[in-house]
Amino acid sequence: MSPRVTLSVAAGALVLAAGAGAFALAYADEQPPALSDSVARHTAPRADRHGSLTFTTDVTASSGVKNVKVLAWPENSSLAQRKPTAKDMSAAESATCEPSGDDTARCTYTVPVTAADADASPSGRWHIAVLATADDGSSTLDPEAAGFTVE
């Protein structure tokens, strides 16, 4: 092969590699938020104090985390048949998010549980649905990000 052809092939390969790299970077920026390390903890109220429900998750979004909505739902409810949707989550409460890395935020949702709340809530398995929205508008819905048991 002549040196001119070899040089042309090498230059073409370099251009293809650069284009593939740029595509990969552009695609990476368009990824929806990712949830990890999601945990729910439920503490029942006692005679002398309220209980609580605390949920934490790490959300990674290259454009930043705009908001995280959280909805606790009992497994023996109508939501078990169809799972929560993004529309259901629009009325859910927001978690508080604090930066915890380059593209990651640690989001926490805590709510007190009174004796009246506990009496009105069905016992058994519950799930936490999460809708994470990034600054670029992309979102991720996990209808069962974590679970807990109400006794």
Side-chain angles (χ1 to χ4, degrees):
M1 198 182 297
S2 77
R4 180 179 274 169
V5 171
T6 303
L7 185 58
S8 294
V9 169
L14 185 59
V15 168
L16 280 174
F23 175 77
L25 285 175
Y27 181 72
D29 284 343
E30 296 175 7
Q31 294 296 310
L35 304 173
S36 63
D37 300 324
S38 299
V39 178
R41 187 177 69 238
H42 175 266
T43 304
R46 301 199 180 189
D48 60 337
R49 65 170 176 78
H50 291 311
S52 65
L53 170 62
T54 301
F55 170 76
T56 59
T57 190
D58 291 331
V59 182
T60 302
S62 59
S63 67
V65 178
K66 181 177 180 180
N67 65 43
V68 173
K69 299 277 194 156
V70 178
L71 175 68
W73 58 278
E75 189 169 84
N76 60 354
S77 70
S78 62
L79 286 177
Q81 311 303 314
R82 61 176 181 83
K83 304 289 187 227
T85 64
K87 184 177 179 181
D88 295 326
M89 298 300 292
S90 66
E93 295 181 344
S94 295
T96 301
C97 298
E98 297 292 332
S100 63
D102 290 340
D103 297 334
T104 304
R106 163 82 22 143
C107 300
T108 304
Y109 171 79
T110 301
V111 62
V113 177
T114 66
D117 294 332
D119 290 343
S121 299
S123 59
R125 189 78 178 145
W126 283 63
H127 301 283
I128 301 285
V130 178
L131 177 64
T133 304
D135 286 336
D136 67 6
S138 63
S139 64
T140 296
L141 172 64
D142 186 345
E144 295 182 23
F148 61 96
T149 302
V150 174
E151 296 182 15

